[in-house]
Amino acid sequence: MSKLTAVLIGLGAMGRNHARVLGLLDGVDLVGAMDPAGGTLPSGAPVVRALDELLALRPDYAVVACPTALHEEIGMALAVHGVCALIEKPLAHSVVAARRLVDAFETAGLVAGVGHIERFNPALQNLRSRLEAGELGEVFQVVTRRQGPFPHRIADVGVVKDLATHDIDLTGWVTGQEYASVSARTLSKSGREHEDMVTVTGDLTDGTLVSHLVNWLSPLKERFTAVTGERGCFVADTLTADLTYYANGAVTTEWEALRAFRGVSEGDMIRYATPKREPLLVEHERFRDAVDGKDAAGIVSLREGLRTVEVAAAVLESARERVSVRLPQARREGDARPLPQPGAPGGRP
């Protein structure tokens, strides 16, 4: 079959990574990009300054890596012109804008997804598979820490929408649960308009406790996810893509004073050896296949992206009002319209 044609919108730090991967992606030709600077890509493909010039290239799909505030405007235009889209996270700057994007792409019958790259990290993929297999038993708690120095490339949103959306999405995804409520506090210490530190506690629909620490104020870069359950604890480090299992001890406690406490003791520790492919490349492969009509189950749907934006909005509301906020009833994936098949409107001809 002929190759799919793709275009890229935005050549900032993340956009350049997308350009690199698209240039190497089997079955795809990167035929152009849009950026205020103009110019050409290393392949010689043009970099235009206006969206209509990009759409004139008649791409099969677009990757949207421009600032979050522009996602709605660009995404709506792509939907109107029948172009499938992979939109960087977060899906949009507001819940209303995210809902408009969901409605637009579903109405047009187009394949569309959100770039929640952590789902494609080998450590988290391995973790989710083991949770689904019941290796941890009942899940009690999910704790994440995502902190590091301030990235000067981010100017239009704060740490909640830029970084915490990673943890919101991955927590719901690895557990298969929705957020039921959140309580949060934020700080702004770097002199910017938006928050640069947040702590979040909450619970999921099955009662699992969650805790997120996210900031741009630490010299220590950390990407930590721990899931604790009845049989032990999984710890994923997404910087190194390592997954480690800490098992509950199986040795009987003979000390009578300790028997009264029905806790656990330290057991075996296992670090799993798994293949480590680049998450961004895997994400692009899954989206390519979805556009090509092969399998849409491997991408992050716009409805999932909308739910993450809703939770992020609840986090900011909680911090602003200093109250716990309950989330609206979860939207189910079954509510979405079916994805187009090859030869159908919105799919690959």
Side-chain angles (χ1 to χ4, degrees), residues 19-55:
R20 172 181 56 82
V21 172
L22 283 167
L24 301 172
L25 192 61
D26 289 340
V28 174
D29 276 336
L30 178 59
V31 297
M34 187 182 91
D35 192 83
T40 59
L41 295 170
S43 64
V47 178
V48 301
R49 292 183 173 87
L51 186 58
D52 58 352
E53 296 179 73
L54 199 65
L55 294 172

Side-chain angles (χ1 to χ4, degrees), residues 92-323:
H93 66 285
S94 71
V95 173
V96 171
R99 286 176 182 157
R100 287 175 180 154
L101 288 170
V102 171
D103 291 343
F105 279 95
E106 287 185 353
T107 299
L110 295 166
V111 175
V114 186
H116 280 290
I117 192 173
E118 289 285 50
R119 289 205 192 186
F120 305 96
N121 188 287
L124 293 177
Q125 294 248 326
N126 193 357
L127 169 58
R128 184 173 190 257
S129 295
R130 293 179 182 280
L131 291 180
E132 286 182 329
E135 293 186 19
L136 202 59
E138 181 185 355
V139 174
F140 302 150
Q141 183 183 55
V142 180
V143 175
T144 70
R145 297 195 301 269
R146 186 174 300 270
Q147 53 188 347
F150 172 66
H152 293 283
R153 60 186 175 83
I154 303 296
D156 59 335
V157 294
V159 75
V160 171
K161 291 181 180 178
D162 183 68
L163 278 191
T165 47
H166 281 300
D167 297 298
I168 292 167
D169 178 74
L170 73 86
T171 296
W173 178 67
V174 297
T175 62
Q177 299 296 319
E178 301 274 7
Y179 281 76
S181 70
V182 292
S183 180
R185 296 293 184 269
T186 59
L187 287 176
S188 298
K189 294 295 185 180
S190 58
R192 298 173 63 252
E193 175 186 357
H194 303 287
E195 79 288 343
D196 41 42
M197 174 177 280
V198 63
T199 61
V200 184
T201 58
D203 60 348
L204 305 179
T205 48
D206 67 345
T208 298
L209 299 179
V210 297
S211 173
H212 306 307
L213 171 62
V214 188
N215 73 65
W216 281 325
L217 298 175
S218 171
L220 167 67
K221 188 171 184 179
E222 187 176 31
R223 302 289 185 266
F224 171 94
T225 300
V227 182
T228 302
E230 61 179 323
R231 295 176 186 165
C233 176
F234 283 116
V235 175
D237 183 336
T238 54
L239 286 177
T240 60
D242 288 328
L243 179 67
T244 305
Y245 176 52
Y246 297 83
N248 291 346
V251 178
T252 302
T253 299
E254 297 183 4
W255 187 359
E256 189 65 32
L258 293 182
R259 285 185 177 181
F261 173 65
R262 297 178 59 191
V264 300
S265 59
E266 184 178 356
D268 295 331
M269 181 185 75
I270 304 170
R271 190 177 73 178
Y272 299 103
T274 57
K276 295 181 179 180
R277 301 185 68 223
E278 181 183 359
L280 188 61
L281 175 60
V282 177
E283 179 180 72
H284 273 278
E285 290 174 342
R286 299 283 178 83
F287 192 76
R288 172 203 61 196
D289 291 348
V291 174
D292 211 17
K294 294 175 182 175
D295 182 15
I299 69 174
V300 184
S301 73
L302 293 197
R303 284 189 174 266
E304 291 175 294
L306 165 60
R307 185 61 176 175
T308 296
V309 173
E310 289 176 332
V311 177
V315 167
L316 290 171
E317 178 186 351
S318 172
R320 183 175 61 251
E321 303 296 333
R322 303 184 75 81
V323 296

